[in-house]
Amino acid sequence: MQKRLPVLSLSSYGMGWSANRRITVVALVVAVLLAIAATVAWLSGSGNSHQDPDRAVPAPANSPSSSETAPKPTVGSGSVAKPPQVAEPVAYAKAAAQMLWSYDTRDTGRDQQLAGMRAWMTDESAYADWVSVSGQVPDPVLWSRMADQDQHATASITEGHYPSAFKAALADDPSAITKAYIYVVTVNGRQQIVWKKGGGGAEERAVTLAVQCRPDHDCALAAIAPSVTQ
């Protein structure tokens, strides 16, 4: 039986935020949801991304440290998709999820992967949780193992939507979002993974993203939530 290889999976790798960044991002969502209790409930609620229990995934212990910084732009971004010029939160979140679930170790190094992902982030440091995003990429040793097997993945998006708690809070106080313009969007889709000798598989994916879309500006990624809420 063919040995399963590690895969880059949002559903089970590096989902924790650093303490300082989590406080910052949650505080922003509190302004939208109006109460910290409601915010914590829906950021860490019962919604979970779908996962194949038989599939090997990178262990959380191998995730990048909270001090890891984005590679310099000079390393290039390999096959990582460029952020679209989109001003609508759901559309941007769907594109961001597809980018996060896609990679190609055959022509993209780990630093290139990180640099490409960094280009999607908001440049407002008060709102950008880079650790939650960079934590999706395996450590250098594991990335090298994946590259040895020509591992690559593509993604298709099923749908994206605002979680019900976010919509309810926004309806209660539409002006609450006007400080940071952070929108919370859950995206569902499917990831197809392939490696050498005909190996591969597919599984469902789900992720909740914080997306910043200021008026008259293109959207940008602010953070990845530590759990999925539908």
Side-chain angles (χ1 to χ4, degrees):
M1 181 174 66
Q2 189 175 42
K3 182 179 178 182
R4 290 183 182 274
L5 298 173
V7 299
L8 180 56
S9 169
L10 281 175
S11 62
S12 33
Y13 183 83
M15 292 304 294
W17 282 343
S18 64
N20 291 338
R21 286 301 188 183
R22 180 177 297 197
I23 291 171
T24 300
V25 174
V26 170
L28 295 174
V29 180
V30 167
V32 178
L33 296 184
L34 308 179
I36 192 167
T39 304
V40 173
W42 84 227
L43 281 181
S44 59
S46 59
N48 292 306
S49 57
H50 304 287
Q51 178 183 339
D52 181 351
D54 295 327
R55 183 173 297 282
V57 296
N62 293 329
S63 60
S65 68
S66 61
S67 61
E68 181 173 18
T69 58
K72 295 180 180 180
T74 53
V75 302
S77 58
S79 62
V80 181
K82 302 295 189 295
Q85 295 181 319
V86 174
E88 199 282 315
V90 173
Y92 191 87
K94 289 166 68 175
Q98 187 168 32
M99 177 274 296
L100 291 167
W101 294 333
S102 303
Y103 61 91
D104 193 336
T105 64
R106 297 171 301 178
D107 59 13
T108 303
R110 181 175 181 272
D111 283 352
Q112 290 178 306
Q113 185 75 22
L114 287 168
M117 294 164 67
R118 184 65 182 86
W120 289 69
M121 298 292 294
T122 175
D123 57 8
E124 297 184 37
S125 59
Y127 307 136
D129 183 8
W130 170 239
V131 172
S132 71
V133 178
S134 64
Q136 311 311 310
V137 179
D139 64 75
V141 173
L142 185 50
W143 186 272
S144 178
R145 287 175 55 199
M146 292 162 62
D148 289 342
Q149 298 299 324
D150 292 342
Q151 190 166 310
H152 53 286
T154 56
S156 58
I157 302 303
T158 305
E159 63 85 39
H161 65 274
Y162 298 119
S164 57
F166 178 81
K167 291 191 293 184
L170 197 58
D172 287 342
D173 186 0
S175 66
I177 202 169
T178 58
K179 177 180 179 181
Y181 286 95
I182 299 289
Y183 298 82
V184 179
V185 183
T186 293
V187 180
N188 290 280
R190 186 173 180 82
Q191 184 186 48
Q192 180 77 39
I193 304 161
V194 180
W195 54 82
K196 281 182 178 179
K197 298 180 181 179
E203 54 188 340
E204 302 301 315
R205 289 279 181 258
V207 66
T208 297
L209 305 174
V211 175
Q212 185 180 48
C213 298
R214 290 194 179 278
D216 303 319
H217 287 79
D218 294 331
C219 295
L221 181 61
I224 299 175
S227 62
V228 175
T229 180
Q230 296 291 355

